[in-house]
Amino acid sequence: MSDDYSYLFDLLSIPDDGSFILSDVCVEGPKKSVTLSRRAAPAFCPQCFSRMHSKGIYTRTLLHPVFQDGSFFPILLKQRRWKCPRCGFQTNERFPFVERYKQSTNLTPLLVLDALKELQVSTRSVARKFHMSDTQIRNIFSSYVDLKRLPLTEFISIDEVYLNIDDSHKYAFVIMDFASGQIIDIVSNRWTSTLEKYFLSIPREERLLVKGIISDAYKPYLESVPAFFPNACSILDSFHVISFLIRKLNDHLNRMIRTRREKLKKNG
Ligand SMILES: [Zn+2]
């Protein structure tokens, strides 16, 4: 059997030397599963070196979404529990690819990150594919991915993006190069405390190079952010300037129409 399913040994990074036993392998159809156990071998207590006794075999179910179609592929792990008769030490048989107390195997984060490379996919759809929660997917992303910041440019645009992941990730703060439109960095939220820590972590010499900060009329963007850039002036985004003028013109027109109507009523 191990010949037919040798790729499963590769996939789980376990040696195909007889020390691990794969049984009840079912990789066809919607209901896939495999049972994995270790060949019985004597175990010794790490504390007093006595030979330990088996307290029986327990079955644990692990998720391992390795198939391309994302179908649910549980691994039934038959794990021996050992007990030292002399000092009472107890432990479970070790499987190299399973971290203790974790429901997924070590391979899962890699597969999740690979799926997230597709820019159009949402964390929700990846979560569904891997039978995990949105939060688990985001935690994997933030613990493995460290995107480096680009150098600051002379004119930077700042704005926020509505994320609504949780209370501390409602609006992400985005810094862009005004000339190229390239994203320089994304900060997890736009709180004053977060931004202060963030901007102060950028060397002062680099901040001195910034000449203008383009933003909307959000007060902290116009007032507190420029404080970190001694040579920069705040610039209200032309889009917001134009919408401000249009709003004023509309107000004026509406006022004129209203007075005209009232006059007509009085005279009529
Ligand atoms: Zn012992």
Side-chain angles (χ1 to χ4, degrees), residues 54-234:
S54 169
K55 281 193 73 194
I57 293 170
Y58 299 85
T59 306
R60 264 173 88 184
T61 306
L62 298 166
L63 303 184
H64 204 299
V66 291
F67 286 97
Q68 287 290 309
D69 62 0
S71 54
F72 186 65
F73 180 39
I75 298 172
L76 303 175
L77 209 64
K78 290 210 178 278
Q79 205 169 22
R80 235 176 234 99
R81 183 134 188 93
W82 294 111
K83 187 178 179 179
C84 173
R86 199 162 148 207
C87 72
F89 176 82
Q90 291 196 40
T91 187
N92 285 323
E93 216 167 26
R94 294 295 297 273
F95 286 84
F97 58 93
V98 186
E99 282 178 59
R100 275 177 94 190
Y101 313 117
K102 280 204 176 161
Q103 283 281 300
S104 327
T105 63
N106 294 346
L107 249 178
T108 310
L110 279 176
L111 296 160
V112 167
L113 292 176
D114 196 52
L116 288 172
K117 276 187 196 163
E118 209 68 55
L119 288 177
Q120 302 90 316
V121 305
S122 64
T123 50
R124 183 163 301 170
S125 65
V126 175
R128 213 178 302 127
K129 183 175 169 187
F130 288 92
H131 308 280
M132 295 169 94
S133 73
D134 279 24
T135 314
Q136 283 174 309
I137 300 293
R138 284 189 210 105
N139 287 344
I140 288 175
F141 185 83
S142 50
S143 56
Y144 286 86
V145 181
D146 181 18
L147 290 168
K148 292 273 172 280
R149 173 178 67 84
L150 293 179
L152 293 175
T153 53
E154 276 193 321
F155 292 91
I156 56 172
S157 304
I158 55 173
D159 208 347
E160 70 280 322
V161 176
Y162 185 59
L163 289 180
N164 202 19
I165 293 173
D166 53 45
D167 278 346
S168 57
H169 298 85
K170 204 151 237 150
Y171 289 96
F173 179 76
V174 184
I175 307 170
M176 272 169 50
D177 172 22
F178 179 73
S180 68
Q182 225 178 2
I183 292 174
I184 292 172
D185 207 358
I186 300 174
V187 185
S188 60
N189 63 51
R190 56 173 188 176
W191 296 346
T192 314
S193 55
T194 309
L195 293 184
E196 186 179 300
K197 220 169 113 192
Y198 174 78
F199 285 127
L200 289 177
S201 75
I202 301 175
R204 195 180 142 84
E205 303 81 67
E206 193 179 341
R207 282 185 279 127
L208 284 172
L209 300 173
V210 178
K211 290 186 178 156
I213 302 164
I214 295 104
S215 71
D216 60 21
Y218 182 60
K219 243 188 174 171
Y221 291 170
L222 292 175
E223 286 169 10
S224 44
V225 173
F228 301 101
F229 301 90
N231 293 335
C233 55
S234 339

Side-chain angles (χ1 to χ4, degrees), residues 44-52 83-89:
F44 296 91
C45 174
Q47 290 184 4
C48 71
F49 309 108
S50 302
R51 186 160 171 175
M52 294 195 285
K83 187 178 179 179
C84 173
R86 199 162 148 207
C87 72
F89 176 82

